[in-house]
Amino acid sequence: MSTAQFGLAVRRLAAALSMLRRWPGFRLPALAVAVAVAVAGAASAAQGERAGSAPAAPAASSASVPLLQIKGPIGPATADYIARGLQRAAREHAPLVVLQIDTPGGLDSSTRQIVKDVLASPVPVAAWVAPGGARAASAGAYIVYASHVAAMAPGTNLGAATPVQMGGLPGTQPQPQPQPAPDKPTTPPAPDDKASEPRDGADAVRPGADAMTRKIVNDSAAYLRSLAQMRGRNVDWADRAVRDGVSLSATEAQSQRVIDFIAADLPALLSQAQGRTVQMNDGVQRMLDVQGAATAAVEADWRTKLLSVITDPTVAYLLLLLGIYGIYFELTTPGFGVPGVAGSISLLLGMFALQMLPVSYAGAALIVLGFVLLVAEALLPSFGALGVGGVIAFVIGSVMLIDTDTPGFGIPIGLIATVAVLNVLFVFVVFRMALKARKRPVVSGSEEMLGAIGEVLDAAPDSARMRVHGEHWRVTSSTPLRAGQRVRVTGRKGLVLEVEPDATDGGEGVASAGSAGASGS
């Protein structure tokens, strides 16, 4: 029983004795009451003195430790998931947030957003590269350096933070591959070292690098060095991780002060984090108290899951295509409704996803141009010229659409080839239909009268008449006609048909068929 609990019990006992003493016929020695009151007063005084003289030790946290998992390439959905998880941890007053990392890298914009959220978090964040065999490559290294506590599981690795070439700007050359660093031990920086000045002339740019590559690498190196300075970690290795693309195992990372400790599981992580002092974004020092705290994995909500699906470049590309073709079929076959509604929804979702990804506007323009050319081929058959050009523009635009070489954020070549084949089949079908339409006889209009067979009704030289298609027409012929003779229409001048005797007519008339129609006179 604690001192506070003992004092409270004694006070309650003294109050009860006082009440019993006032009952009629109840006798209690005054000495007993006095002793109880004295003991209660002494306990209260001792408790107050203890509270005033001794500092309050951190109370054991009753809140659980949220576990946020980063798996696979880091994209907009991952950044949204981390942001929501940190906000929830702040609302619940969690003592610590654990980021379990296993990633090959990700988009620069999403990585920087996660780093900003970690730095601004009111709850300390522990980055943990786990389980065994996991890695925190490229973007993962930045998140580990930004976290208040950095840990790795045995059998994991960290580093390779060299940024990949973004896009393909005109006049730029491909980024040279990082050269291996010389074999020499890397010692942790001394406290009086200038952390902002990397050693061994690391600021010197490689001879084969172009201006864009130098800007990207220098910016990333300075960014990672600033995080290392903030957390008191190895600045020299942070610079080499960007410029040389070096990586470290868990043991090497701990020995070179890149991480704080090695933890095989979550209980070991919390045990080693207990009592550590970290500096928050506002400069306040906070001692971690996670003794006995339980961990709770935070699952992504429906919004994050939807965002994760549609921001996949392959899904976004397919949504864009479905939207374009859905609207096209709705315009060509109006009244059905389903293609238009589905196409509009798909197009909007695809555009929403693409605006969150590094998209090449030239690639998007080529895709639109290819679609326009394919539609023009369908409406204005050009014997394949517009269709072939549309397919070529479509393929080139699809290859250029996603403007990054980050692993996991490209459109598979197989998918592009499949769509190209479908477009070729579309052009071929349209071309075949156009050829068949040209060979098909005319079924309406004045041209349909040419070659029609009819019967002469009146063979007068100046007012010969015939019946064709149930209609009476005035006719003229270069050869004499007779009533009942079969004739063939060879031309038309206004309301007068030019005819000639039918070669199949054996000289006998044909019976009148059908009722009389409108007269051509």
Side-chain angles (χ1 to χ4, degrees):
M1 178 180 293
S2 64
T3 305
Q5 293 173 335
F6 176 76
L8 179 61
V10 172
R11 287 195 298 273
R12 289 179 177 176
L13 176 61
L17 292 176
S18 298
M19 293 178 62
L20 290 174
R21 188 181 179 188
R22 291 194 294 268
W23 278 50
F26 184 82
R27 295 291 182 266
L28 184 68
L31 181 59
V33 177
V35 172
V37 172
V39 172
S44 299
Q47 180 182 0
E49 182 179 359
R50 179 182 178 86
S53 60
S61 176
S62 60
S64 61
V65 175
L67 174 63
L68 306 178
Q69 297 180 340
I70 300 178
K71 295 182 180 179
I74 296 175
T78 309
D80 179 79
Y81 167 66
I82 297 300
R84 289 173 176 270
L86 293 178
Q87 293 171 3
R88 175 180 172 181
R91 290 194 303 266
E92 297 177 352
H93 303 287
L96 181 68
V97 176
V98 177
L99 298 183
Q100 183 175 341
I101 302 175
D102 182 9
T103 177
L107 299 179
D108 178 74
S109 58
S110 301
T111 303
R112 289 180 180 259
Q113 184 59 50
I114 293 176
V115 170
K116 291 178 183 178
D117 292 337
V118 170
L119 296 180
S121 173
V123 179
V125 177
W128 181 41
V129 185
R135 56 178 171 170
S138 191
Y142 293 84
I143 298 175
V144 170
Y145 260 86
S147 300
H148 302 86
V149 177
M152 297 174 66
T156 58
N157 64 281
L158 167 73
T162 304
V164 296
Q165 180 74 23
M166 300 292 289
L169 297 179
T172 61
Q173 301 295 326
Q175 177 180 337
Q177 297 296 326
Q179 300 296 327
D183 295 334
K184 61 179 182 179
T186 302
T187 56
D192 57 348
D193 283 343
K194 294 183 179 180
S196 60
E197 297 181 2
R199 297 184 180 87
D200 301 328
D203 280 332
V205 183
R206 290 187 174 85
D210 58 89
M212 180 59 67
T213 300
R214 291 197 298 269
K215 291 171 64 176
I216 294 175
V217 171
N218 288 334
D219 176 73
S220 300
Y223 188 45
L224 194 57
R225 290 201 309 269
S226 67
L227 297 176
Q229 295 168 9
M230 177 182 294
R231 300 304 183 200
R233 300 195 174 105
N234 193 327
V235 179
D236 181 58
W237 185 87
D239 193 84
R240 293 182 58 222
V242 176
R243 300 184 184 278
D244 299 333
V246 296
S247 298
L248 292 176
S249 65
T251 304
E252 295 169 341
Q254 183 183 23
S255 63
Q256 298 186 27
R257 288 201 313 111
V258 175
I259 62 173
D260 298 314
F261 51 82
I262 297 176
D265 51 25
L266 279 174
L269 173 69
L270 298 181
S271 175
Q272 297 186 67
Q274 171 66 24
R276 285 182 174 268
T277 301
V278 297
Q279 182 174 356
M280 305 306 295
N281 192 41
D282 54 4
V284 176
Q285 299 286 337
R286 180 179 301 183
M287 186 174 68
L288 300 181
D289 179 28
V290 291
Q291 186 69 35
T295 57
V298 178
E299 299 293 337
D301 57 9
W302 68 268
R303 182 182 184 276
T304 303
K305 292 180 180 178
L306 176 62
L307 191 64
S308 176
V309 172
I310 65 175
T311 53
D312 183 280
T314 301
V315 177
Y317 177 68
L318 291 177
L319 287 174
L320 182 66
L321 297 186
L322 290 176
I324 291 175
Y325 280 105
I327 294 177
Y328 166 73
F329 284 118
E330 178 64 27
L331 294 177
T332 55
T333 57
F336 194 56
V338 175
V341 173
S344 300
I345 295 175
S346 299
L347 184 61
L348 291 176
L349 288 176
M351 294 175 64
F352 171 76
L354 290 177
Q355 64 92 20
M356 303 184 71
L357 296 171
V359 176
S360 168
Y361 294 105
L366 283 172
I367 291 179
V368 174
L369 175 62
F371 175 74
V372 171
L373 293 177
L374 291 175
V375 173
E377 177 65 32
L379 300 179
L380 304 171
S382 60
F383 298 97
L386 294 177
V388 172
V391 171
I392 294 175
F394 204 94
V395 171
I396 297 177
S398 299
V399 174
M400 297 173 54
L401 182 62
I402 302 300
D403 190 14
T404 180
D405 293 331
T406 303
F409 283 92
I411 300 177
I413 298 299
L415 176 61
I416 297 176
T418 302
V419 174
V421 171
L422 293 177
N423 287 332
V424 170
L425 292 178
F426 174 76
V427 173
F428 178 75
V429 170
V430 171
F431 180 69
R432 289 291 301 272
M433 293 175 62
L435 289 181
K436 290 182 178 179
R438 293 178 67 91
K439 296 178 180 179
R440 190 178 306 164
V442 181
V443 296
S444 63
S446 60
E447 291 80 4
E448 187 267 340
M449 297 292 293
L450 299 179
I453 303 298
E455 176 187 359
V456 178
L457 299 177
D458 185 1
D462 56 347
S463 61
R465 303 170 68 85
M466 70 172 293
R467 181 170 56 220
V468 58
H469 295 327
E471 301 173 348
H472 291 186
W473 287 81
R474 293 179 58 189
V475 297
T476 179
S477 177
S478 59
T479 60
L481 301 175
R482 67 178 185 277
Q485 185 180 10
R486 290 170 59 91
V487 292
R488 181 186 301 274
V489 179
T490 59
R492 175 184 172 184
K493 293 182 179 179
L495 297 178
V496 179
L497 299 179
E498 297 179 352
V499 299
E500 65 179 10
D502 184 18
T504 62
D505 185 17
E508 299 180 356
V510 296
S512 175
S515 60
S519 174
S521 58

